[in-house]
């Protein structure tokens, strides 16, 4: 089967080496697992670790080859996306552009197999717009990443960012919304990270998505493509509660109507959770995704096999939806070869 993994993480080492040279927080340090540990501040309860599997794209693709399917991947940033907004504005811009150049290089190296989305620092709106235009117009990246917060500021719906969202909508870009550990992580300390990893990230991404709705952004920009990670966080399960308790936002439609316009992936280690996401969003709005290397693609495939899906639904889930929703195009060289 030809598969597209819509939730895949490759982190270029060169970016982390730059963070290792910083003498002030946030900064990174090499760890014993062949990766890096990134800290937002000195007493951070849950610093962000990576390991060797995050940083070698060739090895990652070889792992995908071992699944017995043809697997293409879409690179998104994940929890690292907040760090570009925690740095001083100019430094965050430079590091985001560095990241985006690395992503564009991966697209060129693996045309038609690897697609990548852009890092966007949000602490300064003008810089955010400049980085956006560079990433899409010059580098040819296929989407943008939206952190769950702007540094430790939860207001990703800040009024000053309206031109940014307007431009993302105008360009028809998918916007990958992923938790970033900056808001809830420190109140969920202890238990060797168990509480933070199991609930903290789910809560953060749910609050962030709700802000996009309640602020009216999705009403003003109906073409905005929000790709929710982790089967939509808590929002599908709490959809009725959202409708009941969000009347104070004075939206012209129930909150659930905006939630149903979002897209999501299959990142849930629970086949019932995957099925509920498909039932809630509809088969046309859910894409296969594994969160690799945070999760095992083989396990994801096994759990999806437990759900009763028709062949047509599988084709949508594993391939067609990603091509359509994310606007993935064949490389120009492939088109020329086909024409010949």
């Amino acid at each position: 089967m030809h598969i597209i993994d819509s939730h895949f993480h490759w982190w270029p080492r060169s970016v982390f080496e730059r963070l290792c040279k910083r003498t002030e927080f946030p900064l990174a340090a090499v760890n014993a697992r062949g990766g890096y540990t990134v800290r937002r501040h000195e007493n951070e309860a849950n610093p962000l670790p990576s390991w060797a599997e995050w940083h070698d794209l060739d090895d990652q693709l070889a792992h995908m080859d071992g699944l017995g399917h043809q697997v293409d991947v879409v690179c998104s940033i994940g929890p690292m996306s907040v760090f570009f907004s925690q740095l001083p504005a100019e430094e965050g811009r430079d590091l985001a552009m560095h990241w985006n150049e690395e992503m564009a290089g991966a697209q060129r190296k693996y045309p038609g197999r690897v697609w990548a989305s852009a890092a966007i620092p949000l602490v300064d709106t003008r810089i955010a717009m400049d980085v956006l235009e560079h990433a899409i117009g010059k580098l040819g990246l296929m989407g943008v990443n939206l952190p769950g917060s702007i540094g430790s500021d939860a207001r990703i719906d800040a009024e000053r960012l309206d031109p940014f969202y307007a431009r993302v909508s105008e360009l028809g870009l998918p916007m990958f919304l992923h938790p970033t550990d900056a808001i809830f992580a420190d109140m969920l300390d202890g238990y060797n990270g168990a509480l933070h990893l199991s609930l903290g990230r789910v809560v953060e991404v749910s609050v962030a998505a709700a802000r996009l709705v309640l602020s009216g952004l999705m009403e003003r920009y109906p073409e905005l493509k929000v790709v929710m990670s982790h089967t939509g966080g808590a929002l599908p399960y709490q959809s009725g509660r959202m409708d009941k308790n969000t009347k104070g936002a004075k939206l012209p439609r129930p909150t659930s109507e905006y939630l149903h316009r979002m897209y999501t992936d299959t990142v849930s280690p629970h086949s019932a959770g995957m099925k509920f996401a498909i039932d809630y969003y509809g088969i046309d709005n859910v894409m296969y995704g594994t969160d690799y290397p945070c999760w095992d693609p083989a396990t994801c495939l096994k759990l999806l096999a437990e759900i009763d899906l028709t062949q047509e639904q599988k084709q949508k889930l594993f391939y067609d939806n990603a091509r359509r929703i994310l606007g993935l195009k064949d490389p120009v060289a492939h088109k020329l070869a086909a024409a010949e």
Side-chain angles (χ1 to χ4, degrees), residues 99-115:
W99 181 285
N100 295 341
E101 292 277 4
E102 290 274 20
M103 293 295 122
Q107 287 192 154
R108 291 191 299 270
K109 183 177 180 180
Y110 296 103
R113 183 167 194 195
V114 173
W115 290 275

Side-chain angles (χ1 to χ4, degrees), residues 315-336:
Q315 179 67 24
K316 289 182 176 183
L317 182 74
F318 284 107
Y319 187 80
D320 290 352
N321 288 350
R323 289 293 297 250
R324 172 180 53 84
I325 295 166
L326 306 181
L328 305 181
K329 308 296 184 184
D330 288 330
V332 173
H334 287 196
K335 292 181 179 177
L336 291 175

Side-chain angles (χ1 to χ4, degrees), residues 47-317:
L48 178 64
S50 66
W51 45 96
E53 286 80 359
W54 286 80
H55 301 287
D56 191 318
L57 184 57
D58 292 339
D59 285 353
Q60 289 179 316
L61 294 178
H63 183 85
M64 293 294 168
D65 290 337
L67 297 174
H69 302 281
Q70 180 181 343
V71 183
D72 303 333
V73 300
V74 178
C75 298
S76 60
I77 301 178
M80 262 299 294
S81 59
V82 73
F83 286 90
F84 302 99
S85 298
Q86 291 187 305
L87 296 166
E90 300 294 327
E91 187 180 355
R93 177 202 62 199
D94 293 346
L95 194 66
M97 286 186 167
H98 180 167
W99 181 285
N100 295 341
E101 292 277 4
E102 290 274 20
M103 293 295 122
Q107 287 192 154
R108 291 191 299 270
K109 183 177 180 180
Y110 296 103
R113 183 167 194 195
V114 173
W115 290 275
S117 49
I120 306 289
L122 297 176
V123 70
D124 180 285
T125 306
R126 179 187 58 80
I127 287 176
M129 298 291 287
D130 289 346
V131 173
L132 171 66
E133 298 298 339
H134 179 261
I136 306 304
K138 182 175 181 181
L139 300 181
L141 299 184
M142 46 66 62
V144 299
N145 289 268
L146 183 65
S149 62
I150 303 171
S152 58
D153 178 2
R155 288 291 311 278
I156 63 166
D157 55 333
E159 291 78 3
R160 66 174 178 81
L161 288 172
D162 205 81
F164 169 76
Y165 291 114
R167 183 60 173 153
V168 171
S169 177
E170 180 184 19
L171 292 170
L173 301 173
M175 189 166 61
F176 295 93
L177 179 57
H178 195 286
T180 48
D181 303 348
I183 298 298
F184 295 101
D186 293 341
M187 69 175 67
L188 299 169
D189 62 342
Y191 315 112
N192 295 316
L195 184 58
H196 158 59
L197 291 173
S198 59
L199 286 180
R201 287 181 172 173
V202 172
V203 172
E204 180 175 325
V205 76
S206 301
V207 171
R211 283 191 171 276
L212 297 180
V213 172
L214 300 180
S215 64
L217 274 165
M218 294 192 67
E219 173 66 25
R220 292 195 296 279
Y221 306 112
E223 302 303 315
L224 201 61
K225 289 184 180 179
V226 180
V227 180
M228 277 282 287
S229 58
H230 306 103
T231 59
L235 292 181
Y237 186 69
Q238 297 297 333
S239 182
R241 185 177 179 87
M242 293 292 291
D243 283 345
K244 174 178 176 290
N245 293 306
T246 55
K247 295 180 175 63
K250 299 181 179 179
L251 295 170
R253 298 173 177 81
T255 298
S256 59
E257 287 196 24
Y258 302 99
L259 299 181
H260 277 104
R261 275 181 24 210
M262 294 181 178
Y263 306 95
T264 195
D265 54 41
T266 58
V267 180
S268 172
H270 185 212
S271 60
M274 293 173 166
K275 184 178 185 303
F276 185 59
I278 293 170
D279 290 343
Y280 181 83
Y281 288 102
I283 189 62
D284 291 327
N285 281 28
V286 183
M287 299 172 283
Y288 171 77
T290 67
D291 205 5
Y292 181 79
C294 280
W295 195 35
D296 175 26
T299 302
C300 183
L301 289 167
K302 181 180 178 181
L303 291 171
L304 282 168
E306 297 175 4
I307 303 173
D308 186 19
L309 296 172
T310 67
Q311 192 58 42
E312 180 183 4
Q313 289 173 322
K314 290 178 182 178
Q315 179 67 24
K316 289 182 176 183
L317 182 74

